[in-house]
Amino acid sequence: MKPSIPKGTRDFSPAEMLKRNFIFDTIRAVYQRYGYEQIETPAMENLSTLEGKYGEEGDKLLFRILNSGDPFEKYRQAHLEIKNSDVTEKGLRYDLTVPFARYVVMHQNEISFPFKRYQIQPVWRADRPQKGRYREFYQCDADVIGSTSLLNELELIRIIEDVFDTLKIDVLIKLNNRKILSGIAEVIGEADKIIDITVAIDKLDKIGLEKVNKELKSKGLSETAVQKLQPIILLKGSNENKLESLKNVLKDSAIGKKGIEEIETIFNLLQSLKRTARNLELDITLARGLNYYTGAIIEVKPNDERSSFTSSICGGGRYDDLTGIFGLPNVSGVGISFGADRIYDVLEEVQGFPDFSGVSTKILFVNFGEEEAKYCLQLVERIREDGINAELFPDAAKMKKQMGYADAKKIPFVALIGTEEMKNGEITVKNMSTGEQSKVTMEILLHMIK
Amino acid sequence: MKPSIPKGTRDFSPAEMLKRNFIFDTIRAVYQRYGYEQIETPAMENLSTLEGKYGEEGDKLLFRILNSGDPFEKYRQAHLEIKNSDVTEKGLRYDLTVPFARYVVMHQNEISFPFKRYQIQPVWRADRPQKGRYREFYQCDADVIGSTSLLNELELIRIIEDVFDTLKIDVLIKLNNRKILSGIAEVIGEADKIIDITVAIDKLDKIGLEKVNKELKSKGLSETAVQKLQPIILLKGSNENKLESLKNVLKDSAIGKKGIEEIETIFNLLQSLKRTARNLELDITLARGLNYYTGAIIEVKPNDERSSFTSSICGGGRYDDLTGIFGLPNVSGVGISFGADRIYDVLEEVQGFPDFSGVSTKILFVNFGEEEAKYCLQLVERIREDGINAELFPDAAKMKKQMGYADAKKIPFVALIGTEEMKNGEITVKNMSTGEQSKVTMEILLHMIK
C-alpha cells in the first residue's frame, strides 16, 4: 500500500517551489515589461487539435484521455474490432504553441493584433523519462503574432538578455535565419533538399563533420554539393566576418540575401542600443530540428564556466503560418520558450538561487501554553497587519521541536513570550542566524524584521 | 475544420487572466502571511491513488489516461474480454486533498510537522458541464496537518476573513462541529445513523423541513427520534443562545459536550482578538456532505446585497485520519479551500474587480517609421530599466490602428515621437483617459507614469 506517482512526474516541495517560482516570476516580470499579456488554455484539447501537429513521433507521445462512462462497454464481449476514436477523443496539451494557434483562431475577433501573449503552463509527453526529461513539465512561451517587423525579433532577444541578466546566468545566444539556410541549399544546387540539409548540419555540434557529410550523401546530395557546403558549414570568425563571407557565397540567391539582410538589421538595432552583442553569435548550422521556422532561429545555451550544461535553455524563431492549420492563413509570428527545468538545474549548478531565508515566514512565536498563546495571538495579528508573514506555533510542544520547526522553514526570527514578557509588554526575540537574543518593543521588532 | 475545445473546459484571455490572478494572488498572499508553504503535485496520479477515495460517483468522474503505446493491440482482434486495468493506470487529479495526503505519506521524512501547506492547481472531473460547473477548474487549498490545536481552526477563519476583506466581499462564515452532530444523534437514540442524519439535515436550506423529516424517516429513524430532532434543527437566535440551548440538549453526551467546547474555544479566541464574529454563525445543520470531517466544519457564503449568489465560495473542516488510507495513521489535519471560479463570478456581480488599466502596459510608443522607431527603442529601453512595462508598436501602421491597440490593451499613456520631438529631445505624451497631450522630458515622463 506504499503510494507512488507515475514515472516521469514530480512532486514539488516548498523549497523547490520557492526556486521554481523565482524562475517563473523572473520570466513573467520580463515578459510583462515588454507588453506581453498572459493567457491560459485547458490541459485537455480535442485530439483533432493535437493529432498530426507534432509529426508521427509526436502522435505517439500524446497522452490520450479515455472517454467518460464505460467506453469499453460495446467491446467488453469482444465481438468488435476496437477503434481508438471510439474510446478516446481528448488528449493532454503537448506544447503551448498548438493550443495558442487554436486559441488565436477561436478568439480572432476579440484579439487586437499584433497579439503579444505569454503562457506559463505544464505540458505532457509520454516520452521515456530520464535525467532532465519528464512526462510533465512547464513551458514558458512568449509569441507575437500578426506582425512581420524585425523589431519583434529584437525584442525577444532583449527579453532573453533581461531574463538571464536577472537570473545571473551568462549565456550565448545563437542566431540564424531559415532564409540563409534556403539560400545555401539553393546555391549548392540542392534547393529541394533544404530539410535534409538543415537536419544534418544542425547535428554538427553533436556528431561532427564527417558524420554530417555522410548523412548528407545518404540523403542523396551530390559529391559536388557536399563539397560546396564545407566552407559554409565551417564558417568561423566574428559575426561580421561570417556575414561578409555569406554575402559572397549567397550573392546569387535572392532568399539568401534577404536572410542576411534580416540578420544585419537585428545586429544593427542591437548596436544602436549599445548592446555590443558580445553574447550573440551567428551560427548557420543552427536549425533547431523544427521545420516550421521561416525566418529567425534563436537558441540560447549557458556560457558559464561553473556550468557543465551544453543543452539549450531557451529557443525560438519565426514561423509564417502557424494558424493556417486551423483555418486562419498568413498570420506571421515569432516566439521563444524558456526551459524552466533546465534553467533550474543550471541555477543549482552555479549556486545561483538567492537565499530564501525569511521569504516564507519572517517570525515564529513559540507556544509556551494556553495563556501565552492567547497573548501571542494578538502580537502575531499586529505583525500580519503590516503584511509580514508570521506564525504562532499551534501546540505547546517541546522547545526543541518548535526551534527545529523554525530551522526547517528557515524562519529568521523567533519570539519567546513567557510570564515576564507578558507582564512587561516586551518581546524576547532571537535572531536565528546570529543566535543573538534581545528584549524589544513591538515597534522595534517590526523594524527589525521588515 | 473549425477548432473547438472539449466541453467543460475554458480558454482564459488576457483580461480574464488579470482578474483570475487578482483572486489567486490575494489568496496566495494571505496564505503566506500565515506561514503556509506552497507545494505542487503532478496532474497525473496512479489510479490506485485516486480510485475509491471519492465514493462510487467520484470513480465515475475520474478522467482516465490511456496507457502509452497501443494498449488495444491485444484486443484489436477482439478475442479477449477487455480489462480497464490493462489499458489505463493513470488518472487526472480530482481534488487537491488526496494528492496532498499521498504527498505527505511519500515525503513524511522531509516534512517538519505541523505542516502548513497551500496548493493552487487545476483539478479535473468528468462531471456534466453546466453554468458555473467546469470539467477543469482551480482549487486553492490550505491545510495544516500534524496538529490538533484549535488555534489552527482559528487561523483558518482569520485567513477566510482576510481574503474576503481584501477582495471586499461581505461574507457569512458558518461554523459547525461534527462532534455536535454526533452528540445529537446520540441523544436522540440514533447514534448509528449519524451519516443519514447529517446528510438529511444538511439539505434543510435547499429542500425544507418537511422533506428533511421525510428523508429521516425513510432512513429508518423512529418517529420519536425525528420529533426530538425538531427543536435542534430549528435552533434560532444568536450564537450564544444556540450554544446555551445545545448545552442543555447535549448535557448527557460526552462527545456532544466536546463539540460545544471546541466551538466555544474558537469563539472566545476570536473575541480575544476583538473580532466580534458578527459574520460568524453557528449552524448545526451544516455538514458539507463530506463524511470525513471529524471536528470543525466551515462554510462561507456571500452576504452581499449586490450578489445573488447563494452557493458556498469557501469551505473546509477537520479530519482525523486523512493519510491513513496511504499507510500513515493518526495524522490529524484541518483545511479550507477557496472556490476561485465562484469568487470570480461574485466579484463580477458586485463589480468588485479593481481597474486593471495600466497593469499590463503603462505606455505605448507609436511607430511612425524606421528612423522614429529606432529612436523610440532607446526611450523604451530607458523606461523598462525602471521596471515599467512599456511597448513600441512593432509596425509603422496607421495611427488609428495603433491607438486602437492602446485602447484595447487599456494602456493609459501613448507617446508620439516625430521629427520635431527627435530634434528637441522631447516626448509628446497623451493621457488616454483625459485625452490631454503634453510635451515632456524623459524625467517628467517617468514621473507621470510611475
Side-chain angles (χ1 to χ4, degrees):
Chain A
M1 180 68 260
K2 257 202 174 157
S4 63
I5 49 175
K7 61 180 177 175
T9 70
R10 292 166 291 171
D11 284 327
F12 297 111
S13 68
E16 288 161 332
M17 284 307 298
L18 287 175
K19 292 176 181 173
R20 288 171 63 82
N21 286 338
F22 171 68
I23 295 171
F24 293 135
D25 291 347
T26 300
I27 294 171
R28 193 179 297 121
V30 175
Y31 280 162
Q32 287 170 351
R33 206 177 309 141
Y34 284 77
Y36 289 72
E37 296 182 296
Q38 190 178 14
I39 69 161
E40 280 187 5
T41 60
M44 296 187 281
E45 293 275 358
N46 292 325
L47 282 177
S48 59
T49 300
L50 300 171
E51 280 176 336
K53 308 307 187 301
Y54 307 103
E56 230 175 281
E57 187 60 14
D59 281 352
K60 279 190 199 138
L61 301 184
L62 286 177
F63 278 112
R64 290 174 171 76
I65 294 163
L66 218 47
N67 291 349
S68 329
D70 184 0
F72 298 124
E73 201 179 2
K74 66 179 203 183
Y75 299 105
R76 185 92 45 207
Q77 300 305 323
H79 298 309
L80 286 164
E81 182 162 321
I82 202 156
K83 275 194 286 180
N84 288 20
S85 57
D86 276 349
V87 296
T88 170
E89 54 200 21
K90 291 183 288 294
L92 290 179
R93 190 167 55 218
Y94 183 87
D95 72 355
L96 301 179
T97 308
V98 167
F100 175 53
R102 195 261 315 139
Y103 176 95
V104 170
V105 175
M106 281 180 69
H107 299 261
Q108 53 185 290
N109 297 323
E110 309 147 32
I111 297 172
S112 178
F113 292 96
F115 185 33
K116 296 166 79 169
R117 88 84 173 77
Y118 77 88
Q119 196 172 349
I120 300 180
Q121 289 191 277
V123 301
W124 294 269
R125 294 183 188 176
D127 229 332
R128 185 209 296 272
Q130 49 181 268
K131 195 180 175 316
R133 193 195 288 165
Y134 307 98
R135 294 184 143 191
E136 171 177 272
F137 57 98
Y138 272 74
Q139 290 191 334
C140 311
D141 284 21
D143 293 80
V144 201
I145 72 160
S147 164
T148 54
S149 166
L150 291 169
L151 286 171
N152 299 303
E153 275 84 343
L154 171 80
E155 185 168 273
L156 291 171
I157 292 168
R158 289 291 299 111
I159 284 177
I160 291 168
E161 291 179 332
D162 277 4
V163 164
F164 290 113
D165 278 356
T166 310
L167 296 176
K168 299 194 179 71
I169 298 175
D170 282 332
V171 294
L172 180 66
I173 304 173
K174 291 184 172 197
L175 202 64
N176 195 11
N177 193 301
R178 167 64 179 262
K179 298 190 177 90
I180 292 181
L181 292 170
S182 298
I184 292 170
E186 200 175 286
V187 298
I188 65 169
E190 303 275 7
D192 57 324
K193 297 225 166 57
I194 164 83
I195 293 170
D196 291 331
I197 297 171
T198 56
V199 168
I201 66 178
D202 193 30
K203 296 180 188 160
L204 184 67
D205 262 8
K206 277 186 197 147
I207 63 173
L209 183 62
E210 208 168 321
K211 284 191 177 152
V212 168
N213 287 338
K214 213 171 142 191
E215 180 168 328
L216 288 168
K217 280 175 208 161
S218 81
K219 295 289 180 184
L221 257 77
S222 71
E223 185 64 40
T224 333
V226 174
Q227 279 318 311
K228 270 192 183 167
L229 204 52
Q230 298 307 296
I232 307 173
I233 301 183
L234 296 172
L235 218 54
K236 284 263 176 323
S238 69
N239 292 333
E240 291 71 22
N241 288 347
K242 286 182 188 169
L243 280 170
E244 282 316 307
S245 306
L246 277 176
K247 276 183 195 170
N248 191 34
V249 171
L250 298 177
K251 62 180 184 297
D252 295 325
S253 162
I255 191 159
K257 283 196 282 188
K258 183 88 180 69
I260 292 173
E261 189 195 314
E262 289 185 11
I263 291 271
E264 280 190 319
T265 302
I266 295 168
F267 282 170
N268 287 339
L269 285 169
L270 275 166
Q271 224 141 29
S272 80
L273 294 176
K274 314 277 182 301
R275 315 279 321 179
T276 50
R278 58 166 169 73
N279 57 352
L280 196 73
E281 183 186 300
L282 170 62
D283 178 356
I284 65 128
T285 68
L286 178 66
R288 302 213 79 233
L290 284 164
N291 200 40
Y292 62 74
Y293 292 132
T294 52
I297 304 170
I298 305 169
E299 187 168 88
V300 184
K301 291 182 172 191
N303 188 26
D304 199 304
E305 287 175 349
R306 302 162 298 172
S307 170
S308 63
F309 261 73
T310 53
S311 46
S312 87
I313 51 179
C314 178
R318 179 173 286 276
Y319 39 86
D320 275 347
D321 191 21
L322 182 72
T323 56
I325 37 170
F326 296 119
L328 183 68
N330 303 321
V331 179
S332 184
V334 55
I336 54 169
S337 183
F338 288 91
D341 286 301
R342 287 181 182 171
I343 293 173
Y344 185 105
D345 292 341
V346 173
L347 281 171
E348 281 289 15
E349 207 176 23
V350 306
Q351 299 183 287
F353 285 113
D355 176 17
F356 292 113
S357 155
V359 166
S360 303
T361 298
K362 268 272 182 339
I363 184 163
L364 173 75
F365 281 73
V366 169
N367 186 332
F368 285 114
E370 208 173 307
E371 274 316 298
E372 289 88 346
K374 206 164 164 179
Y375 180 89
C376 287
L377 261 186
Q378 304 180 41
L379 306 181
V380 178
E381 285 267 329
R382 173 68 194 86
I383 292 169
R384 288 184 186 138
E385 261 171 33
D386 279 23
I388 299 168
N389 305 342
E391 286 185 68
L392 163 64
F393 199 88
D395 307 279
K398 285 195 181 120
M399 188 69 174
K400 199 183 158 202
K401 174 161 185 181
Q402 300 192 45
M403 296 307 269
Y405 177 87
D407 265 338
K409 280 182 97 166
K410 297 193 175 177
I411 301 175
F413 296 97
V414 168
L416 305 136
I417 310 271
T419 329
E420 206 189 305
E421 283 85 355
M422 284 167 68
K423 206 173 62 193
N424 303 334
E426 288 175 328
I427 299 159
T428 296
V429 58
K430 184 176 177 174
N431 180 320
M432 294 293 278
S433 60
T434 64
E436 217 176 318
Q437 203 161 302
S438 51
K439 282 195 175 161
V440 296
T441 61
M442 174 56 80
E443 207 181 340
I444 292 172
L445 179 69
L446 287 173
H447 202 263
M448 277 174 77
I449 62 180
K450 248 172 206 172
Chain B
M1 179 68 260
K2 257 203 174 156
S4 63
I5 51 175
K7 60 180 178 175
T9 69
R10 292 166 291 171
D11 284 328
F12 296 112
S13 67
E16 288 161 332
M17 285 306 298
L18 286 175
K19 292 177 181 172
R20 288 171 63 82
N21 286 338
F22 171 68
I23 295 171
F24 293 135
D25 291 348
T26 300
I27 295 171
R28 192 180 296 119
V30 175
Y31 280 162
Q32 287 170 350
R33 204 177 310 142
Y34 285 78
Y36 288 72
E37 296 182 296
Q38 190 178 16
I39 69 161
E40 280 188 4
T41 60
M44 295 187 281
E45 293 275 358
N46 293 325
L47 282 177
S48 58
T49 300
L50 300 172
E51 280 176 336
K53 308 306 187 301
Y54 307 102
E56 229 176 282
E57 188 61 14
D59 281 353
K60 279 189 200 140
L61 300 185
L62 287 177
F63 277 112
R64 291 173 169 76
I65 294 163
L66 218 47
N67 291 349
S68 329
D70 184 1
F72 298 124
E73 201 179 2
K74 65 180 202 184
Y75 298 105
R76 185 92 46 208
Q77 299 304 323
H79 298 309
L80 286 164
E81 182 161 325
I82 203 156
K83 274 195 286 184
N84 288 19
S85 57
D86 275 351
V87 296
T88 170
E89 54 199 23
K90 291 183 288 293
L92 290 179
R93 191 167 54 221
Y94 183 87
D95 73 356
L96 301 179
T97 308
V98 165
F100 175 53
R102 195 262 315 138
Y103 176 96
V104 169
V105 175
M106 281 181 68
H107 299 261
Q108 53 185 292
N109 297 322
E110 310 147 31
I111 296 172
S112 179
F113 291 96
F115 185 34
K116 297 165 78 167
R117 89 83 173 78
Y118 78 88
Q119 195 172 349
I120 300 180
Q121 289 191 278
V123 301
W124 294 269
R125 295 182 188 177
D127 229 331
R128 185 210 296 271
Q130 47 181 269
K131 195 182 175 314
R133 193 194 288 166
Y134 307 101
R135 295 185 141 189
E136 171 176 274
F137 57 98
Y138 272 75
Q139 290 191 334
C140 312
D141 284 21
D143 293 80
V144 202
I145 72 159
S147 165
T148 54
S149 166
L150 292 169
L151 286 171
N152 299 303
E153 275 83 345
L154 172 79
E155 186 168 274
L156 291 171
I157 292 168
R158 290 290 300 111
I159 284 176
I160 291 168
E161 291 180 330
D162 277 4
V163 165
F164 291 112
D165 279 355
T166 310
L167 297 176
K168 298 195 180 72
I169 298 176
D170 282 332
V171 294
L172 180 66
I173 304 173
K174 291 186 172 195
L175 203 63
N176 195 12
N177 194 301
R178 166 63 179 262
K179 298 188 178 93
I180 292 180
L181 292 170
S182 299
I184 293 170
E186 201 176 286
V187 299
I188 65 168
E190 302 275 7
D192 57 323
K193 297 225 166 59
I194 165 82
I195 293 169
D196 292 331
I197 298 171
T198 55
V199 168
I201 66 178
D202 193 30
K203 296 180 190 162
L204 185 66
D205 261 9
K206 277 185 198 148
I207 63 173
L209 184 61
E210 207 168 322
K211 283 190 179 156
V212 168
N213 287 338
K214 210 171 144 189
E215 181 168 328
L216 289 168
K217 281 175 209 163
S218 80
K219 294 289 179 185
L221 257 79
S222 72
E223 185 65 39
T224 332
V226 174
Q227 279 317 313
K228 270 192 182 166
L229 203 53
Q230 298 309 296
I232 308 173
I233 301 182
L234 297 173
L235 218 54
K236 285 264 178 319
S238 70
N239 293 334
E240 291 72 23
N241 290 348
K242 286 182 188 169
L243 280 169
E244 283 315 307
S245 307
L246 277 176
K247 275 184 195 170
N248 191 34
V249 171
L250 299 176
K251 61 181 185 298
D252 296 326
S253 162
I255 192 159
K257 283 196 283 188
K258 185 88 178 69
I260 292 172
E261 189 194 314
E262 289 185 12
I263 290 271
E264 279 190 318
T265 302
I266 294 168
F267 282 170
N268 288 338
L269 285 169
L270 275 167
Q271 224 140 30
S272 80
L273 294 175
K274 313 275 181 303
R275 315 277 323 176
T276 51
R278 58 167 170 74
N279 57 351
L280 198 72
E281 182 186 301
L282 170 63
D283 178 357
I284 64 127
T285 68
L286 179 66
R288 301 213 81 232
L290 284 164
N291 200 41
Y292 63 75
Y293 292 131
T294 52
I297 304 169
I298 305 169
E299 188 168 87
V300 185
K301 292 183 172 190
N303 189 25
D304 198 303
E305 288 175 350
R306 301 163 299 171
S307 171
S308 63
F309 261 73
T310 53
S311 46
S312 86
I313 52 180
C314 178
R318 180 172 286 278
Y319 40 84
D320 275 347
D321 191 21
L322 182 73
T323 56
I325 37 170
F326 296 119
L328 183 67
N330 304 321
V331 178
S332 185
V334 54
I336 53 170
S337 183
F338 288 91
D341 285 302
R342 287 181 183 172
I343 294 173
Y344 186 105
D345 292 341
V346 173
L347 281 171
E348 282 287 16
E349 208 176 21
V350 306
Q351 298 183 289
F353 285 113
D355 176 18
F356 292 112
S357 154
V359 167
S360 302
T361 298
K362 269 269 179 345
I363 184 164
L364 172 75
F365 280 73
V366 170
N367 186 331
F368 285 114
E370 209 174 306
E371 274 316 300
E372 290 87 346
K374 206 165 164 178
Y375 180 88
C376 288
L377 260 186
Q378 305 181 39
L379 305 181
V380 178
E381 284 267 328
R382 173 66 195 87
I383 292 170
R384 288 184 187 138
E385 260 172 34
D386 279 22
I388 300 168
N389 304 342
E391 285 183 69
L392 164 63
F393 199 88
D395 305 279
K398 284 194 181 122
M399 188 68 173
K400 198 184 158 202
K401 172 161 186 179
Q402 301 193 45
M403 296 308 269
Y405 177 86
D407 264 336
K409 280 183 96 165
K410 295 192 176 177
I411 303 175
F413 296 97
V414 168
L416 304 136
I417 310 273
T419 329
E420 205 190 305
E421 282 87 355
M422 286 167 68
K423 205 173 64 192
N424 303 334
E426 289 175 325
I427 299 160
T428 295
V429 59
K430 183 177 178 174
N431 180 321
M432 292 294 277
S433 59
T434 64
E436 217 176 317
Q437 203 161 302
S438 52
K439 280 193 178 165
V440 296
T441 61
M442 174 57 80
E443 206 182 339
I444 292 172
L445 179 69
L446 288 172
H447 201 265
M448 275 174 78
I449 62 182
K450 248 174 207 169

